[in-house]
Amino acid sequence: NILIIPARSGSKRIKNKNIIKFNDKPLLVNSLIIGNNTKLFDIIHLSTDSEEYVKIARKFGFKTLFLRDKRFAKDQTPVLDAVKSDLLNFKKLGYSFKDVCVLSSTSPFINKNDILNISKIYKKSDKKSPIISVAKYQTKIERAMKVKNGKLKFINKDYINKQTQKFSESYYPTGNIFYFDAFKLLNSKSYNYIYKPYMIDKLRAIDIDDKEDLDLAKKISKILWKT
């Protein structure tokens, strides 16, 4: 089994967000340590194009066998494209993996138990479906609106007069954790799988992408960690 922690350089909203100190350690290091503490993985790989990130990880005892190909380190590169590239590089080095877990480098409230639990769900499903972390939308998405030419408009007018009690709960992928069959992922041409959910509460599901996320995460840490 392999754990891959994506951490490309060049983030625009927050410079070097992957190595911002959080809980006294760089964010990516927190993820590396959490993954290591599960004892589930034969290899823990920091997927990065940055020599600086590799050096930081090495200080905490984590080795990176190769850098991510620059082609898969662009702003618009899907994370799973980068993961597939990493798996192919490992294959060239003679490694073969059954399962691959992907853990965000910027999800400070994900813990060891989350990874252990998502692994159990994956195994109980006979590894037929990938497992992804999700959280419940706070409001009913059927009532969603957008701004067009400075005016608010309902995305779907059919739901304007319907009672919210008639709407079911909706969920969004949080991007915190993925668990896949490595062979299926390598040989997939799209990511339109039938996924199974791992539920995470909204407070812990935050994945830091911009300053607003970072400020919110600091406030949440005071609640969750009582600091």
Side-chain angles (χ1 to χ4, degrees):
N1 298 342
I2 182 172
L3 174 67
I4 294 180
I5 298 173
R8 73 173 186 86
S9 63
S11 54
K12 299 295 191 298
R13 296 182 180 93
I14 303 179
K15 186 177 180 180
N16 285 321
K17 67 177 180 180
N18 295 293
I19 55 174
I20 288 174
K21 286 287 185 70
F22 206 97
N23 195 23
D24 297 325
K25 292 183 182 67
L27 277 171
L28 64 83
V29 171
N30 283 316
S31 292
L32 288 165
I33 291 173
I34 288 167
N36 188 55
N37 288 343
T38 66
K39 308 299 181 186
L40 287 177
F41 306 104
D42 302 297
I43 286 184
I44 295 176
H45 175 66
L46 181 67
S47 176
T48 184
D49 59 322
S50 169
E51 290 280 7
E52 180 185 3
Y53 292 4
V54 170
K55 289 178 182 177
I56 291 171
R58 190 179 299 135
K59 287 180 182 178
F60 289 86
F62 296 95
K63 296 180 181 178
T64 301
L65 295 182
F66 53 83
L67 289 176
R68 188 193 297 188
D69 190 315
K70 290 288 185 182
R71 292 177 298 165
F72 299 99
K74 299 177 182 178
D75 288 344
Q76 304 303 319
T77 301
V79 170
L80 292 181
D81 281 1
V83 170
K84 285 176 69 172
S85 173
D86 290 333
L87 291 175
L88 285 170
N89 282 331
F90 273 110
K91 189 175 181 179
K92 291 175 184 177
L93 293 174
Y95 292 88
S96 178
F97 302 106
K98 291 182 178 179
D99 305 330
V100 54
C101 179
V102 182
L103 173 63
S104 168
S105 62
T106 51
S107 296
F109 305 116
I110 297 302
N111 57 45
K112 178 179 78 172
N113 288 332
D114 289 314
I115 301 174
L116 292 172
N117 289 336
I118 204 170
S119 173
K120 288 178 183 177
I121 295 171
Y122 176 71
K123 289 174 183 176
K124 284 182 179 179
S125 71
D126 296 325
K127 304 183 180 182
K128 292 179 181 179
S129 298
I131 314 296
I132 61 172
S133 56
V134 299
K136 186 169 69 174
Y137 274 111
Q138 190 171 355
T139 58
K140 306 298 185 183
I141 62 171
E142 290 84 354
R143 287 286 173 82
M145 306 175 79
K146 62 181 179 180
V147 177
K148 188 174 182 179
N149 297 324
K151 297 179 181 179
L152 278 171
K153 291 190 176 183
F154 283 95
I155 292 176
N156 193 326
K157 295 179 181 179
D158 294 338
Y159 296 131
I160 293 175
N161 296 319
K162 287 190 177 181
Q163 294 179 326
T164 55
Q165 293 90 333
K166 294 184 178 181
F167 301 142
S168 60
E169 300 292 352
S170 300
Y171 301 84
Y172 62 92
T174 62
N176 304 130
I177 320 174
F178 308 82
Y179 220 105
F180 288 85
D181 178 300
F183 179 80
K184 288 182 180 178
L185 180 59
L186 265 176
N187 291 278
S188 295
K189 293 183 179 180
S190 75
Y191 307 127
N192 188 26
Y193 301 104
I194 297 175
Y195 293 94
K196 286 197 172 182
Y198 174 65
M199 305 291 185
I200 297 181
D201 62 84
K202 291 186 289 290
L203 278 182
R204 294 198 310 109
I206 187 168
D207 191 59
I208 297 171
D209 188 48
D210 55 31
K211 188 178 182 302
E212 186 178 357
D213 291 337
L214 180 60
D215 291 342
L216 179 59
K218 289 178 179 178
K219 292 176 182 178
I220 292 173
S221 69
K222 292 178 181 179
I223 297 171
L224 296 181
W225 298 333
K226 296 180 180 180
T227 57

